Amino acid sequence: MSAREEILSRIRKATQDVRDKDPVKDVPVTWAYNQPTPLEDVLETFVENILDYKAKIVRTPASGTPGAIVAALRELGAKSVVVPDGVPSHWVQAVSDAGLEVVRDEGLSHQQLNSIDAVLTGSAVSMAETGTICLDHAEDQGRRALTLVPDRHVCVVRADSVVSDVPEAVHRLRASIDAGRPCTWISGGSATSDIELSRVEGVHGPRQLFVVLEDN
């Protein structure tokens, strides 16, 4: 008997007393999956966890977002930035007026993206409890390669898009998932460790993440 057959045999024996094969009827769920996790302050928790990932974050009213983006790019040392088509035009204008090179994505190759210092995007939903930002690659976020190849990522997060935890976020992503759009989850700058715990940054995406949290 193979390992697979043995495991399935054990499952059959363990479920012999189950008469109703409908799992919903067998184990009824009495709670709603998308309920928020109780937090004292959702936005402050989000900020704390973003900082815990060694990323940078600044809070600003919507009127200050363009200036905050420019300041973030300068702090990261970026001189060129790729922007998706759906990024608000006043953000792009502020970057251009600051003397930084704005690059539009017209089918840029990975090699071309690798030569660009940073990427500027919006975001779909963020989770305070985990300090995670999710992109559903709508027009203000562009295709996945834009946020995986350049070494720096400036991401604008609207305060009303920050939820308590993963279940609440997944519920908000339902329409994007049903539409078949990919979702990219970001928790700080890209980093990984080998078996000897030697930290390597930038393997799976940008090494540096700068979040502009736009208060509503």
Side-chain angles (χ1 to χ4, degrees), residues 148-184:
L148 293 177
V149 180
D151 203 36
R152 306 163 182 87
H153 185 184
V154 175
C155 185
V156 178
V157 174
R158 300 184 317 276
D160 61 5
S161 73
V162 181
V163 299
S164 63
D165 209 346
V166 176
E168 195 178 0
V170 170
H171 179 72
R172 287 208 185 188
L173 289 168
R174 177 66 182 269
S176 301
I177 294 169
D178 287 345
R181 292 209 298 266
C183 292
T184 301

Side-chain angles (χ1 to χ4, degrees), residues 6-184:
E6 182 179 351
I7 291 171
L8 291 175
S9 176
R10 291 181 182 180
I11 292 173
R12 293 188 190 98
K13 289 179 181 179
T15 58
Q16 282 179 348
D17 61 332
V18 176
R19 296 289 181 264
D20 198 325
K21 299 303 181 182
D22 186 341
V24 175
K25 295 179 180 178
D26 182 51
V27 184
V29 176
T30 58
W31 47 270
Y33 182 74
N34 62 332
Q35 292 302 300
T37 300
L39 295 175
E40 185 173 339
D41 189 315
V42 171
L43 292 180
E44 283 301 319
T45 301
F46 178 65
V47 171
E48 289 174 7
N49 286 319
I50 287 290
L51 293 173
D52 194 47
Y53 282 121
K54 311 302 180 187
K56 297 185 178 183
I57 185 167
V58 62
R59 294 181 68 168
T60 179
S63 60
T65 298
I69 290 170
V70 170
L73 289 167
R74 283 177 171 166
E75 185 171 337
L76 294 174
K79 295 182 179 180
S80 59
V81 56
V82 59
V83 294
D85 289 337
V87 165
S89 59
H90 61 292
W91 296 1
V92 180
Q93 189 62 50
V95 173
S96 180
D97 290 346
L100 303 177
E101 180 188 0
V102 175
V103 182
R104 291 291 187 176
D105 180 27
E106 298 178 351
L108 296 171
S109 67
H110 290 177
Q111 290 78 11
Q112 290 172 313
L113 286 173
N114 191 49
S115 68
I116 299 171
D117 295 333
V119 58
L120 167 64
T121 73
S123 58
V125 64
S126 298
M127 292 140 265
E129 187 79 341
T130 61
T132 302
I133 300 167
C134 186
L135 311 180
D136 65 358
H137 298 283
E139 290 185 354
D140 65 337
Q141 298 149 54
R143 57 192 174 104
R144 291 195 74 204
L146 299 189
T147 53
L148 293 177
V149 180
D151 203 36
R152 306 163 182 87
H153 185 184
V154 175
C155 185
V156 178
V157 174
R158 300 184 317 276
D160 61 5
S161 73
V162 181
V163 299
S164 63
D165 209 346
V166 176
E168 195 178 0
V170 170
H171 179 72
R172 287 208 185 188
L173 289 168
R174 177 66 182 269
S176 301
I177 294 169
D178 287 345
R181 292 209 298 266
C183 292
T184 301

